[in-house]
Amino acid sequence: MATPSRRTSTPSSQASKRVLPRDPSSEVPSKRKSSAPSTLPPTPLLPPPLRSSGPFVEGSIVRIAMENFLTYDICEVSPGPNLNMIIGANGTGKSSIVCAICLGLAGKPAFMGRADKVGFFVKRGCSKGMVEIELFRASGNLVITREIDVAKNQSFWYINKKSTTQKVVEEQVAALNIQVGNLCQFLPQDKVGEFAKLTKIELLEATEKSIGPPEMHRYHCELKNFREKEKQLETSCKEKTEYLEKMIQRNERYKQDVERFYERKRHLDLIEMLEAKRPWVEYENVRQEYEEVKQARDQVKEEVRKLKEGQIPITRRIEEIERQHHNLEARIKEKATGIKEKSQKCKEKQEVLERKDKHIEELQQALIVKQNEEHDRQRRISNTRKMIEDLQNELKTTENCENLQPQIDAVTNDLRRVQDEKALCESEIIDKRRERETLEKEEKSVCDLIKRFDNLMNQKEDKLRQRYRDTYEAVLWLRNNREKFKQRVCEPIMLTINMKDNKNAKYIENHISSNDLRAFVFEAQEDMEVFLKEVRDNRRLRVNAVIAPSSSYADKAPSRSLSELKQYGFFSYLRELFDAPDPVMSYLCFQYHIHEVPVGTERTRERIERVIQETQLKQIYTAEEKYVVKTSFYSNKVISSNTSLKVAQFLTVTVDLERRRHLEEQLKEINRKLDAVGSGLIALCETNQHLEHKDNELRQKKKDLLEKKTKKRQLEQKISSKLGSLKLMEQDTCNLEEEERKASTKIKEINVQKAELVTELTNLIKICTSLNIQKVDLILQNTTVNSEKNKLESDYMAASSRLRLTEQNFIELDENRQRLLQKCKELMKRARQVCNLGAEQTVPQEYQTAFQDLPNTLDEIDALLTEERSRASCFTGLNPTVVEEYTKREEEIEQLTEELKRKKVELDKYRENISQVKERWLNPLKELVEKINEKFSSFFSSMQCAGEVDLHTDNEEDYDKYGIRIRVKFRNTTQLHELTPYHQSGGERSVSTMLYLMALQELNRCPFRVVDEINQGMDPINERRVFEMVVKTACKENTSQYFFITPKLLQNLPYSEKMTILFVYNGPHMLEPNRWNLKAFQRRRRRITVTQPSQ
């Protein structure tokens, strides 16, 4: 938040402000006089007041001293004990005194509504500031000093010149019942409007703290705490009662479960005894089975021994036959080897015979091939002779072609000319295509730039649509209906303005109001009326419209050139920071004087005093602040105020519309060139196609002429070639008879060799047959031996099979015996474990007695076990912890009953406390509110209006909902309405606030009250009535101190002898602080008074 800064035109480096008491005797509270107002000049620093009580009440302000604080260099104020009127022109420093009171008494800076940091309250250019408040106290005045360090933004506290902490200061201030944060006691200028915004609850709390007895607010807080605790206890008792009932009900349900639990236990005991006997019965059964298996195993063992003895003779005979079999196998193998050797030789002879047959076949085939070649040669010779004859006939018929060369040369020249024209045309086509590609690239680049500009413009339009929907719809309507207007119509200024540098957008947005930023600009009044009728009346859109001046101000020169201002750090006027259409620029120059407002830097802010004094500029912008310079109507003094610049929101997006129009014109020119290039390219392609067709015709014509010219030469070459081929074929002759004779001789020789081979093959076959007969005889003998062997082996296998089965039976019986033996041991061990017996212990007598009454077979035991388990399973949902839980729950019920009794006793005690505290709080509060209502209604009645104050609540038991309701009526025709920030006007709220504070005045236990410029919103009649009431109320006996700050007063107002009027002067003719001497002025006054009677 920017801190206002006010400067004077005095030549001194430090501005001086003086506060004048209307009655000089008021400067010393202990020596107050009721004399007429004095004409003594103001005094900056007064001597400390006497510490006698006099008319001051405990905690009243006796003295206020300030040094380098806001607009003051050095100043000291001595208020009176009753009504203090602080009067002065706007900007002289009245509210600075209020700020000094608040900060000097440990108030928060933010409460003043000016700044949130205490350093901002130090005068600009100073590193430290000081505020000193002296409070009246019967035991000795209390002097509180607060030194402020700007650099560290810290405060240093002193009480009676001794260093202390802020917490100690707050405790001392609170002990005197001073509440600078209570709007009922301390109402600064920027918080006047917030009084009406107080809720009924907040107003009650502020009133209790302000005028109620010290214990009233404490009782109220105790009631709220007691009520909260009472609610918690009620809730706790209710929950515990419900829980106790549930516990009792649950235990009732569990009572039956406990009985069922014992019934189930009897069945489980029987099951346990049956399960204990069952292993013993099972052991006896397995033991008997073990004896039977052991006897069967011994019998099978004897049978195995007999079978093994019967297999020995068979084994010996099988071994003898096996040796005979091996001897026969060796002889058979020997015969087979001889047969294989003879068979291999037979195979070799057969292969030789096959090769001889194949050789004869090859000789016959070669003879046939030679015969076929001779027939083919004769046919080719005949064909060649016929072809030569045909070529000779064609050569005779061929005409003389020697006169074709001139025609060929002419066609060649025409073809060369056409090809040159075609090459030139193709070159031009390539150039045109390159030119078209270049233009298309340029077109794409320009379109991309236009699209980028459109995207930026869309961003600005999106911001407009989100913030001002009606204005955005009006823009869309204008773009579709521009033909309805006679002269130029500009879209909203925020869309048409384009910043040259986005960083400077904050200056424009802070200088031009938001209403004008979204306003349409017209050149003709008639066009504006048409537009507003359509969008406002017909479309119900909330839009703004302005009209540009008839004569343009857009190019109007500033009163001072920028070069003169550069020495102060200025770099531009507002107009040069952006571009805009001529009507918009003209309107802004005319309305906002943007051609006269310079923009500076941080350097400008550092020398702002010199800039204001020397340049006489009305508005100035620095890097982060705006300065407005005015001349005081009262003192003709130059007053400046500065505010921090807000962050730009709309103009940060820059769109260069002139460049965009230039790009659109450039795009149109590119499209025109593209059309021209396309037309030329089509014409060149048609010409090239025509030349291509003509080139093909000439080529074909030249080809035909060349073929005619070379045809005779080709025929002669063909005839010569064929004659050479014929000669070669005639020379390549073959004697078929000689070839046939040679082949016949070779075949006869081969047949003689074949006859010798057949004889040798016949002898080999006879030897193989003899060997095969001997081999078959041996095989028959071997077969007989094998047959006997197989029979013996079959008998042996049958005996072995019986032996294996018997042995397997023996193994199984032995394994079964071992298994039963192990099982007997396990069952014995298990039976002893079930009965908890040791290895040497016998079964106890109790088990034996119980076992006698139980079944003796497993089936009977299992049947009885199944029956008992079924009965036990009927008792579902039970477990051994049921009885334990039932017992614990009984104990818990007893404990919970005792706890509930204690809670109810505690609740009754709290209710008794609430009743006692409520009686001590509510009755005095009702009496207090009744007294406030009596005073408040009386004040309103004296103003021919009506008002009342009452204690309001919806539920008497909700002590945190109690509040004070103010209802007022300013006209006879209306009803009483609750005071709110919305229903009454600003003046009515000010009157209501003031009268409520006055109603508190006589009842107030606070030492002083401050009200700053509350009469600004009142009409003259109400202001006069309120002033009279303030004087009458605040000047009564035994009332607290009252500060009333105002910049102006009506004429002929009533005043009281008990009033103290403090005039705040500010101007260039004030005396310097070092020249002000109150004692000297008083001595001079006494001398003048003494000498006047003698004259």
Side-chain angles (χ1 to χ4, degrees):
M1 180 176 178
T3 304
S5 176
R6 301 176 179 85
R7 308 283 177 175
T8 65
S9 59
T10 178
S12 173
S13 61
Q14 288 185 332
S16 298
K17 295 190 178 183
R18 300 292 175 259
V19 178
L20 296 182
R22 182 168 181 173
D23 189 344
S25 62
S26 66
E27 297 170 3
V28 184
S30 60
K31 297 182 179 180
R32 180 170 178 79
K33 299 178 182 180
S34 59
S35 59
S38 174
T39 59
L40 288 177
T43 177
L45 292 172
L46 302 179
L50 298 176
R51 295 184 182 276
S52 73
S53 60
F56 283 92
V57 299
E58 190 86 0
S60 297
I61 297 176
V62 176
R63 179 173 60 90
I64 307 168
M66 297 166 284
E67 183 176 343
N68 297 330
F69 186 77
L70 289 177
T71 58
Y72 293 102
D73 292 331
I74 299 174
C75 183
E76 187 170 306
V77 180
S78 296
N82 298 106
L83 176 61
N84 291 274
M85 299 286 294
I86 301 178
I87 305 173
N90 287 331
T92 56
K94 303 183 301 302
S95 296
S96 299
I97 299 174
V98 178
C99 294
I101 295 173
C102 178
L103 296 180
L105 296 176
K108 303 298 183 185
F111 178 72
M112 304 303 300
R114 290 193 173 199
D116 55 353
K117 294 182 180 179
V118 71
F120 289 155
F121 288 88
V122 177
K123 186 175 182 180
R124 186 179 297 277
C126 299
S127 60
K128 291 185 178 181
M130 185 273 292
V131 176
E132 188 172 273
I133 307 293
E134 183 173 354
L135 302 175
F136 175 78
R137 197 167 58 177
S139 60
N141 287 5
L142 182 68
V143 180
I144 299 174
T145 306
R146 181 175 190 171
E147 292 184 0
I148 303 170
D149 190 327
V150 176
K152 298 180 180 178
N153 193 40
Q154 290 182 346
S155 296
F156 302 95
W157 296 90
Y158 302 88
I159 293 180
N160 295 331
K161 306 303 180 181
K162 295 181 180 180
S163 178
T164 186
T165 62
Q166 182 175 348
K167 184 177 180 182
V168 174
V169 173
E170 291 173 350
E171 291 173 354
Q172 293 282 352
V173 170
L176 295 172
N177 198 33
I178 297 173
Q179 306 166 19
V180 292
N182 190 339
L183 294 181
C184 288
Q185 180 177 344
F186 198 90
L187 193 61
Q189 178 181 353
D190 295 324
K191 295 289 185 176
V192 171
E194 292 189 10
F195 186 87
K197 297 180 182 178
L198 289 176
T199 64
K200 294 187 285 293
I201 298 171
E202 292 171 342
L203 184 58
L204 172 61
E205 184 177 351
T207 304
E208 285 178 340
K209 292 178 180 179
S210 178
I211 66 170
E215 66 275 4
M216 179 175 285
H217 182 64
R218 177 168 55 81
Y219 285 158
H220 192 183
C221 294
E222 287 179 1
L223 276 174
K224 289 189 281 187
N225 293 333
F226 285 162
R227 177 56 181 162
E228 184 66 26
K229 188 65 176 178
E230 181 188 16
K231 289 181 180 178
Q232 294 176 1
L233 286 172
E234 288 176 349
T235 304
S236 178
C237 288
K238 183 179 178 181
E239 290 175 353
K240 289 185 182 300
T241 302
E242 292 176 354
Y243 182 64
L244 180 60
E245 292 176 354
K246 290 180 180 177
M247 294 283 286
I248 293 172
Q249 292 174 3
R250 191 180 301 174
N251 243 21
E252 286 296 324
R253 291 197 303 270
Y254 284 174
K255 187 175 182 180
Q256 184 179 0
D257 292 342
V258 171
E259 295 175 355
R260 294 173 66 241
F261 173 80
Y262 286 117
E263 179 67 21
R264 178 173 177 268
K265 189 173 184 303
R266 286 192 292 273
H267 292 289
L268 292 177
D269 290 342
L270 180 57
I271 291 171
E272 183 182 357
M273 195 57 63
L274 288 169
E275 288 176 346
K277 183 177 181 180
R278 191 178 188 284
W280 292 102
V281 175
E282 190 174 0
Y283 163 75
E284 185 61 26
N285 292 340
V286 172
R287 190 187 65 79
Q288 292 177 2
E289 185 179 357
Y290 167 77
E291 293 297 335
E292 293 174 359
V293 169
K294 182 180 179 183
Q295 185 178 0
R297 188 203 70 149
D298 294 340
Q299 293 176 357
V300 171
K301 184 177 181 182
E302 182 62 22
E303 187 178 352
V304 168
R305 186 185 62 77
K306 292 178 180 180
L307 287 173
K308 285 182 178 180
E309 290 177 354
Q311 279 187 329
I312 294 174
I314 298 174
T315 304
R316 290 174 181 171
R317 178 59 184 165
I318 289 174
E319 290 174 355
E320 183 180 347
I321 292 174
E322 185 69 27
R323 286 193 295 273
Q324 187 178 359
H325 167 70
H326 286 315
N327 186 21
L328 290 172
E329 284 288 334
R331 292 173 63 189
I332 291 170
K333 189 174 182 180
E334 183 182 351
K335 297 298 181 183
T337 302
I339 292 170
K340 185 177 181 181
E341 290 176 357
K342 299 301 179 181
S343 297
Q344 183 64 29
K345 289 180 180 180
C346 289
K347 186 177 180 181
E348 291 174 359
K349 297 298 180 179
Q350 287 178 348
E351 290 176 354
V352 174
L353 285 173
E354 289 177 356
R355 285 198 297 272
K356 296 298 181 180
D357 291 338
K358 188 175 182 181
H359 190 194
I360 292 170
E361 185 177 353
E362 288 175 355
L363 290 174
Q364 292 175 348
Q365 189 67 30
L367 181 61
I368 292 171
V369 169
K370 288 182 179 181
Q371 290 175 350
N372 292 335
E373 287 178 355
E374 181 61 22
H375 292 317
D376 184 62
R377 186 179 68 82
Q378 293 297 331
R379 181 180 56 76
R380 285 190 284 111
I381 289 172
S382 175
N383 291 336
T384 302
R385 287 174 178 171
K386 185 177 180 181
M387 188 179 296
I388 291 171
E389 185 179 354
D390 292 339
L391 289 172
Q392 288 175 349
N393 293 332
E394 185 177 359
L395 181 62
K396 292 178 182 179
T397 60
T398 301
E399 61 181 356
N400 188 9
C401 298
E402 294 179 358
N403 58 349
L404 293 178
Q405 189 61 39
Q407 296 181 26
I408 293 171
D409 294 340
V411 171
T412 302
N413 292 332
D414 292 342
L415 182 62
R416 188 178 298 109
R417 178 179 56 78
V418 170
Q419 288 177 345
D420 291 341
E421 292 178 1
K422 181 181 175 184
L424 180 61
C425 183
E426 288 177 349
S427 176
E428 291 180 359
I429 288 173
I430 292 171
D431 292 340
K432 289 290 183 182
R433 286 175 177 168
R434 289 176 180 171
E435 184 179 359
R436 183 176 66 182
E437 290 176 358
T438 302
L439 289 172
E440 286 175 349
K441 290 180 180 178
E442 291 179 3
E443 180 188 26
K444 185 177 182 300
S445 176
V446 172
C447 288
D448 291 342
L449 288 174
I450 292 174
K451 186 176 180 182
R452 194 178 305 164
F453 279 115
D454 290 341
N455 290 337
L456 293 175
M457 195 65 185
N458 289 337
Q459 292 181 18
K460 296 179 74 174
E461 292 177 2
D462 286 342
K463 290 185 177 180
L464 178 66
R465 176 175 54 80
Q466 294 171 6
R467 186 71 178 271
Y468 306 110
R469 183 74 184 189
D470 289 358
T471 305
Y472 176 74
E473 293 182 0
V475 169
L476 299 181
W477 180 88
L478 174 64
R479 291 176 181 174
N480 295 327
N481 298 275
R482 287 192 178 274
E483 70 279 356
K484 294 184 179 181
F485 303 102
K486 297 179 180 179
Q487 295 190 31
R488 187 174 181 182
V489 179
C490 296
E491 293 182 357
I493 293 176
M494 67 171 63
L495 296 181
T496 56
I497 283 180
N498 285 286
M499 300 302 302
K500 296 179 181 178
D501 189 342
N502 294 344
K503 294 185 294 184
N504 298 325
K506 59 184 177 182
Y507 302 119
I508 307 303
E509 290 197 19
N510 279 272
H511 192 73
I512 304 172
S513 69
S514 59
N515 287 336
D516 276 356
L517 278 175
R518 59 190 178 97
F520 295 80
V521 182
F522 294 82
E523 289 185 335
Q525 181 72 29
E526 182 181 354
D527 289 343
M528 187 170 72
E529 291 174 357
V530 171
F531 176 78
L532 292 178
K533 182 178 180 181
E534 175 64 29
V535 298
R536 280 188 182 173
D537 300 341
N538 297 344
R539 296 180 176 271
R540 304 292 183 186
L541 300 178
R542 292 177 294 178
V543 298
N544 296 336
V546 297
I547 188 165
S550 56
S551 59
S552 177
Y553 281 73
D555 298 324
K556 188 175 181 180
S559 58
R560 301 184 62 170
S561 65
L562 187 61
S563 59
E564 298 177 17
L565 300 177
K566 286 187 176 179
Q567 59 178 321
Y568 304 109
F570 294 107
F571 63 88
S572 175
Y573 283 104
L574 287 177
R575 182 176 60 185
E576 277 66 42
L577 297 179
F578 64 92
D579 295 323
D582 189 72
V584 175
M585 189 67 79
S586 177
Y587 172 76
L588 294 177
C589 289
F590 174 76
Q591 185 67 25
Y592 289 94
H593 306 287
I594 58 175
H595 62 292
E596 296 284 1
V597 180
V599 181
T601 60
E602 191 64 28
R603 178 183 165 198
T604 310
R605 190 191 66 79
E606 293 173 356
R607 55 184 68 183
I608 191 65
E609 294 182 13
R610 179 184 167 196
V611 173
I612 292 173
Q613 293 174 5
E614 296 180 4
T615 61
Q616 298 181 356
L617 294 168
K618 301 299 181 184
Q619 296 186 70
I620 299 170
Y621 283 92
T622 64
E624 298 296 336
E625 293 177 326
K626 174 184 178 182
Y627 288 83
V628 178
V629 183
K630 297 181 181 178
T631 303
S632 174
F633 178 77
Y634 299 97
S635 60
N636 200 27
K637 171 196 166 186
V638 175
I639 302 173
S640 67
S641 64
N642 65 312
T643 55
S644 297
L645 297 180
K646 299 177 182 176
V647 179
Q649 297 180 356
F650 299 104
L651 302 181
T652 53
V653 179
T654 301
V655 181
D656 192 343
L657 296 179
E658 187 64 30
R659 189 181 175 196
R660 190 184 185 282
R661 284 195 293 272
H662 176 71
L663 288 172
E664 289 179 346
E665 293 174 359
Q666 185 178 351
L667 182 62
K668 290 180 182 177
E669 180 64 21
I670 291 172
N671 289 331
R672 185 187 62 75
K673 289 181 180 179
L674 278 172
D675 293 340
V677 169
S679 302
L681 188 62
I682 291 172
L684 287 172
C685 289
E686 291 177 353
T687 303
N688 186 59
Q689 188 175 1
H690 174 71
L691 291 173
E692 182 74 24
H693 180 68
K694 190 172 182 181
D695 179 73
N696 292 335
E697 290 179 350
L698 291 172
R699 285 178 183 275
Q700 186 63 36
K701 186 175 181 181
K702 182 178 179 181
K703 181 180 178 181
D704 295 341
L705 291 173
L706 289 173
E707 287 178 354
K708 289 181 181 180
K709 182 178 178 181
T710 58
K711 189 173 182 180
K712 180 179 178 183
R713 190 181 310 125
Q714 291 174 351
L715 289 172
E716 291 174 350
Q717 290 176 354
K718 287 182 180 180
I719 291 171
S720 175
S721 176
K722 295 297 180 184
L723 287 174
S725 299
L726 179 62
K727 185 176 181 180
L728 290 173
M729 284 187 289
E730 288 177 346
Q731 290 176 356
D732 189 14
T733 59
C734 179
N735 190 352
L736 289 175
E737 293 179 357
E738 180 65 21
E739 291 295 331
E740 291 175 357
R741 186 184 61 77
K742 289 180 180 179
S744 177
T745 302
K746 288 181 180 181
I747 291 171
K748 287 179 180 179
E749 291 176 356
I750 292 170
N751 286 329
V752 171
Q753 295 173 1
K754 284 176 66 179
E756 293 175 355
L757 290 171
V758 169
T759 303
E760 293 176 358
L761 180 61
T762 303
N763 294 330
L764 288 172
I765 291 171
K766 289 179 179 179
I767 294 170
C768 283
T769 302
S770 174
L771 291 173
N772 279 320
I773 292 170
Q774 295 174 9
K775 179 182 176 182
V776 170
D777 184 45
L778 291 173
I779 289 171
L780 289 174
Q781 293 178 20
N782 190 33
T783 303
T784 303
V785 172
N786 283 335
S787 176
E788 185 179 358
K789 177 185 174 184
N790 290 337
K791 183 177 181 304
L792 290 172
E793 286 178 349
S794 177
D795 294 340
Y796 180 80
M797 290 299 294
S800 297
S801 177
R802 266 196 321 274
L803 178 61
R804 281 196 302 273
L805 291 175
T806 306
E807 288 177 342
Q808 183 66 30
N809 190 17
F810 171 78
I811 293 170
E812 289 176 356
L813 288 171
D814 189 59
E815 290 176 353
N816 196 11
R817 181 188 69 82
Q818 294 290 342
R819 180 181 60 80
L820 289 173
L821 178 61
Q822 185 64 28
K823 190 174 181 181
C824 283
K825 293 179 181 179
E826 291 175 356
L827 288 173
M828 174 61 75
K829 184 179 179 181
R830 179 184 168 193
R832 290 183 174 277
Q833 286 177 350
V834 170
C835 296
N836 295 322
L837 299 176
E840 302 298 332
Q841 290 180 324
T842 59
V843 179
Q845 185 62 37
E846 57 181 11
Y847 276 99
Q848 295 180 8
T849 304
F851 287 169
Q852 291 176 0
D853 298 332
L854 297 177
N856 293 320
T857 63
L858 287 177
D859 292 339
E860 292 175 345
I861 290 173
D862 289 340
L864 186 56
L865 270 174
T866 303
E867 180 181 354
E868 290 300 319
R869 284 170 179 166
S870 298
R871 290 178 179 178
S873 64
C874 294
F875 299 94
T876 58
L878 299 177
N879 55 64
T881 61
V882 172
V883 178
E884 182 181 354
E885 289 180 359
Y886 179 83
T887 306
K888 287 182 179 180
R889 198 173 292 109
E890 284 290 336
E891 294 174 357
E892 188 177 353
I893 288 171
E894 184 177 355
Q895 293 174 0
L896 194 58
T897 304
E898 291 298 324
E899 185 179 354
L900 186 58
K901 288 180 181 179
R902 291 196 302 271
K903 291 285 184 182
K904 287 182 178 179
V905 170
E906 187 178 357
L907 178 60
D908 293 338
K909 184 178 179 181
Y910 267 102
R911 286 173 176 169
E912 183 180 354
N913 291 338
I914 290 173
S915 177
Q916 293 174 0
V917 176
K918 179 179 179 182
E919 184 177 355
R920 290 197 295 267
W921 170 74
L922 188 57
N923 294 336
L925 178 62
K926 287 181 179 179
E927 293 175 3
L928 184 64
V929 174
E930 185 59 34
K931 290 178 182 179
I932 297 172
N933 179 47
E934 182 181 346
K935 297 289 183 183
F936 189 74
S937 300
S938 175
F939 290 147
F940 261 89
S941 298
S942 65
M943 297 178 62
Q944 286 79 45
C945 300
E948 67 176 30
V949 176
D950 62 356
L951 188 64
H952 179 267
T953 183
D954 294 328
N955 184 1
E956 286 191 4
E957 301 301 324
D958 291 336
Y959 302 106
D960 55 344
K961 299 295 190 299
Y962 274 79
I964 288 181
R965 178 174 60 180
I966 301 176
R967 296 194 296 166
V968 295
K969 179 178 73 171
F970 289 89
R971 284 166 289 279
N972 294 330
T973 57
T974 60
Q975 300 292 327
L976 285 171
H977 287 284
E978 186 175 345
L979 180 64
T980 65
Y982 317 107
H983 191 275
Q984 290 80 16
S985 65
E988 291 172 347
R989 292 198 300 272
S990 297
V991 171
S992 302
T993 302
M994 193 66 189
L995 293 184
Y996 184 80
L997 296 179
M998 288 167 56
L1000 301 182
Q1001 178 68 13
E1002 294 182 2
L1003 305 173
N1004 198 3
R1005 65 182 183 88
C1006 64
F1008 65 86
R1009 178 172 286 108
V1010 178
V1011 179
D1012 189 2
E1013 296 191 15
I1014 198 171
N1015 59 333
Q1016 292 302 297
M1018 301 181 189
D1019 57 60
I1021 297 174
N1022 286 334
E1023 184 177 356
R1024 182 176 298 276
R1025 291 173 177 172
V1026 169
F1027 185 82
E1028 291 174 356
M1029 294 178 190
V1030 170
V1031 173
K1032 181 180 178 181
T1033 304
C1035 292
K1036 288 182 179 180
E1037 293 293 336
N1038 300 321
T1039 59
S1040 59
Q1041 196 176 32
Y1042 202 102
F1043 290 88
F1044 187 85
I1045 295 91
T1046 178
K1048 49 89 176 177
L1049 287 174
L1050 300 175
Q1051 297 179 356
N1052 302 320
L1053 292 173
Y1055 296 92
S1056 171
E1057 291 293 335
K1058 295 184 178 181
M1059 290 174 59
T1060 300
I1061 301 177
L1062 304 172
F1063 291 96
V1064 182
Y1065 285 101
N1066 179 12
H1069 303 296
M1070 301 295 294
L1071 286 176
E1072 293 298 322
N1074 55 5
R1075 295 176 57 191
W1076 191 267
N1077 191 331
L1078 180 61
K1079 292 182 178 180
F1081 296 154
Q1082 290 175 339
R1083 287 195 298 270
R1084 182 182 177 189
R1085 177 63 178 173
R1086 283 195 294 271
R1087 287 197 302 270
I1088 293 172
T1089 305
V1090 170
T1091 57
Q1092 278 180 352
S1094 63
Q1095 294 176 354

